[in-house]
Amino acid sequence: MNRPSIIELPQIADPRGNLTFIESENHFPFNIKRAFWTYNVPSGKRRGGHSYKQQNELIVALSGSVDVVTVDEADVVTSFRLDRPNFGLFIPPRVWRRMEFFSGNAFCLHLSDSEYNSSDYVRSERR
Ligand code: TYD
C-alpha cells in the first residue's frame, strides 16, 4: 500500500456502549512503536505540513472531526474527513499530509511504527 487509505476497524456494538480495537498487522500494515495524540487545537489552526521519509502512520479521530489533506508521490491530492472512531487513515511514507478544520472536541490518535526522529521529516507548507 503506497497510497493513503481509510481503514475500517471492528466496532463491537453493545447496549453498554461501543468498543473498537486495533491490532498491528491485522488491521494495518505495520507494527506500533509509538502513539501520540493531538487535541485542544484552536479553531482555524493546522497541523502537519510534512511527509515522513520512512514512517508509516495511522490517524484515528477518537472524538470530533478533522480533515486530512494528503499528496502522494504521483501528486494526487486527496482530502479525507475523519469523524468516526472506528475508521482510521493509513498514511504510508513519502505522502505529504496536513490536518485542518479540527472541531472543538477533536481528539486524534496517531500510531506510528517509529520512535520520534526529526530527521525523518520532510517539511513544506505547500507542495
Ligand atoms: P510535529 O510532529 O512537528 O507536529 P506538527 O507536524 O503537527 O507540526 O511535533 C511538534 C513538536 O512535538 C516537535 O517539536 C517535536 C515534538 N514531538 C515529539 O517530541 N515527539 C513526538 O512523538 C512528536 C509527534 C512530536
Side-chain angles (χ1 to χ4, degrees), residues 29-100:
F30 64 84
N31 275 311
I32 302 168
K33 197 153 190 182
R34 178 168 55 117
F36 59 97
W37 39 100
T38 41
Y39 55 100
N40 285 354
V41 177
S43 176
K45 294 292 185 189
R46 294 166 160 178
R47 298 218 56 130
H50 58 77
S51 57
Y52 295 119
K53 294 176 195 165
Q54 298 194 324
Q55 207 176 135
N56 288 280
E57 188 176 22
L58 186 98
I59 306 175
V60 184
L62 294 180
S63 75
S65 62
V66 64
D67 287 357
V68 187
V69 178
T70 62
V71 186
D72 71 14
E73 286 187 284
D75 267 343
V76 175
V77 179
T78 313
S79 181
F80 298 91
R81 165 142 287 223
L82 300 182
D83 58 5
R84 285 180 284 181
N86 62 318
F87 284 81
L89 174 62
F90 168 71
I91 309 181
R94 297 179 297 283
V95 172
W96 184 89
R97 89 291 311 274
R98 181 178 69 220
M99 300 174 73
E100 60 191 14

Side-chain angles (χ1 to χ4, degrees), residues 11-20:
Q11 186 177 55
I12 315 293
D14 188 301
R16 298 169 300 163
N18 293 345
L19 182 151
T20 286

